[in-house]
Amino acid sequence: MTFTFDEIYALLMGRADNWLYMKADEAKTNAYGDEVYLRGIIECTNICARNCLYCGIRAQNEKLKRYTLTVDEIVATARQIKAQGLKSIVIQSGESEAVSDIEIARICHKIKDETGADITLSMGEKPKETYRLWKEAGADRYLLKVETLQDELYRVLHPGYELKPRIKCVENLKNLGYQVGSGFIAGLPGYTTKMLAADLLELVQIGVHMFSLTPFVRAQHTPLEQHLNGDMDLVYRAMAIYRLMAPDVNIPVASACASLDSNSKEKGLKRGANVLMLSYTPDKYRHDYALYQGKNTAFTEKLTDLKNLVDVILKLGLKPGFDFGRSKYEYT
Ligand code: 5AD
């Protein structure tokens, strides 16, 4: 389905929620049936060299205890994910050299070798050669959110960094044959609904395999900690609109949604989303991967967490997907 800017804006303002959510659910079902792809995520370090104004693990947050998993801990966690039946493993980190490029390559090799799972990396902007190294080592997908496609806003929120090189990274990843995920943070200070409407259109033009949208959730010890949280209705609407414009992409219900709406999984999965992620970061560290308030606050049994997720899915009349969870999107 194609929309004009004005139509997207009207939909984001809530002019036709019932229609929008019904159509998005229909489009998702056409593309992915009843299956909800499950992924296990390992947050391997919270060390970050950047100072994104909204993010709780920014370099200047001196209140945060920093951690880095060893290669062995990362591989052991991947084994645990595999043992629970998942074939899709995501490894994410802050942007730093805390785990070196070579170590990441070794980790990809080992995990691929031992588990056969699909591997998604999410470690920020790197030179094309690094992305190539990791692809050759077994990485299949890469998540690099652009956060916003507004140049000026990008500059304000990411001191010292520009949007263009980030978009270039997305292009490089696509050219190397990764399945690429990207998206925005709705409700960031200064990020208007009109900007979001324009960005949705532009990202569909750029073309990615996965669309990830989080609401802005304030994080302690950041310059934006007093700012209002994002609006979940805007998030659901934008996800549904993206599903209709690019029906074959993967769309997760991001974990940040759960910080603002305890029913986000149920709602998201009926409004165009088809992916859920579960954090397997060891309890000793998970609390310190504090991107925003409410992130990884629970210290629970991973098997119970997975059972709970499966229950949510079954209650909606959907099927848990334990397979690779590849995107069906192809460039046109
Ligand atoms: N609110 C919402 N999302 C956030 N992220 C980081 N900080 C926040 C926040 N305060 C998201 C960014 C990043 C991803 C790993 O987490 O989009 O790309």
Side-chain angles (χ1 to χ4, degrees):
M1 210 176 271
T2 54
F3 293 119
T4 63
F5 171 85
D6 289 338
E7 286 167 340
I8 294 176
Y9 181 66
L11 288 170
L12 288 176
M13 295 299 282
R15 295 293 150 71
D17 281 348
N18 291 341
W19 176 87
L20 175 63
Y21 295 148
M22 188 191 69
K23 285 305 216 186
D25 191 39
E26 207 175 278
K28 184 220 68 173
T29 307
N30 283 340
Y32 290 97
D34 287 339
E35 207 173 339
V36 179
Y37 292 158
L38 293 168
R39 311 199 193 287
I41 179 165
I42 309 167
E43 291 135 340
C44 68
T45 177
N46 66 353
I47 296 180
C48 192
R50 300 205 173 190
N51 273 300
C52 309
L53 263 50
Y54 46 81
C55 186
I57 69 169
R58 65 203 301 272
Q60 282 169 16
N61 181 1
E62 284 167 6
K63 296 267 164 58
L64 189 68
K65 207 167 95 207
R66 303 286 167 168
Y67 74 87
T68 302
L69 302 190
T70 64
V71 171
D72 287 347
E73 281 174 314
I74 296 168
V75 176
T77 309
R79 267 189 225 117
Q80 192 192 351
I81 295 173
K82 169 70 194 305
Q84 297 199 357
L86 301 183
K87 293 199 191 73
S88 175
I89 297 174
V90 184
I91 309 174
Q92 191 175 75
S93 71
E95 294 202 33
S96 79
E97 301 296 319
V99 188
S100 72
D101 294 354
I102 299 291
E103 276 174 318
I104 296 290
R106 272 179 49 219
I107 289 162
C108 288
H109 257 302
K110 275 196 163 180
I111 292 180
K112 198 64 158 190
D113 229 38
E114 288 195 31
T115 70
D118 266 15
I119 301 170
T120 305
L121 296 179
S122 178
M123 346 217 79
E125 290 174 43
K126 300 281 173 180
K128 189 168 185 183
E129 286 320 303
T130 301
Y131 289 150
R132 190 192 310 276
L133 176 77
W134 292 345
K135 184 85 183 50
E136 284 166 1
D140 303 280
R141 290 188 275 270
Y142 204 96
L143 170 60
L144 185 71
K145 288 176 70 186
V146 289
E147 323 296 3
T148 170
L149 283 166
Q150 304 291 316
D151 277 306
E152 191 47 44
L153 182 62
Y154 189 93
R155 223 169 271 134
V156 171
L157 292 167
H158 307 96
Y161 291 93
E162 295 281 334
L163 175 62
K164 281 216 167 55
R166 198 159 180 95
I167 296 176
K168 180 71 187 160
C169 284
V170 169
E171 291 301 333
N172 286 342
L173 289 160
K174 282 166 64 176
N175 291 334
L176 287 166
Y178 281 90
Q179 289 211 332
V180 181
S182 195
F184 317 122
I185 305 178
L188 281 169
Y191 197 16
T192 65
T193 304
K194 285 199 167 149
M195 290 174 180
L196 180 60
D199 286 2
L200 288 167
L201 271 174
E202 194 179 336
L203 191 62
V204 170
Q205 281 302 310
I206 291 172
V208 286
H209 299 84
M210 192 272 256
F211 175 63
S212 170
L213 188 67
T214 47
F216 164 70
V217 183
R218 56 178 168 248
Q220 269 190 311
H221 314 302
T222 64
L224 302 181
E225 71 179 321
Q226 304 290 353
H227 200 275
L228 279 185
N229 286 330
D231 170 8
M232 276 307 296
D233 286 324
L234 194 61
V235 171
Y236 295 128
R237 288 171 191 145
M239 279 162 53
I241 292 166
Y242 204 92
R243 168 65 67 199
L244 289 175
M245 291 197 290
D248 295 337
V249 299
N250 275 331
I251 302 183
V253 183
S255 52
C257 298
S259 293
L260 302 186
D261 181 353
S262 54
N263 288 316
S264 63
K265 295 182 185 70
E266 289 85 347
K267 287 187 201 160
L269 291 175
K270 283 293 183 188
R271 296 173 173 183
N274 70 313
V275 180
L276 292 181
M277 293 212 274
L278 185 56
S279 168
Y280 282 81
T281 303
D283 282 353
K284 197 162 34 148
Y285 309 111
R286 52 191 286 114
H287 186 66
D288 294 318
Y289 199 71
L291 300 176
Y292 47 81
Q293 262 174 29
K295 170 80 179 146
N296 288 353
T297 40
F299 288 73
T300 52
E301 282 296 318
K302 305 301 174 295
L303 195 57
T304 314
D305 287 351
L306 181 60
K307 282 195 178 123
N308 289 341
L309 270 197
V310 168
D311 271 354
V312 167
I313 293 167
L314 293 174
K315 279 205 183 104
L316 291 168
L318 301 170
K319 268 193 342 226
F322 283 85
D323 219 329
F324 299 119
R326 290 173 189 153
S327 173
K328 295 180 178 168
Y329 175 86
E330 277 171 31
Y331 303 123
T332 44

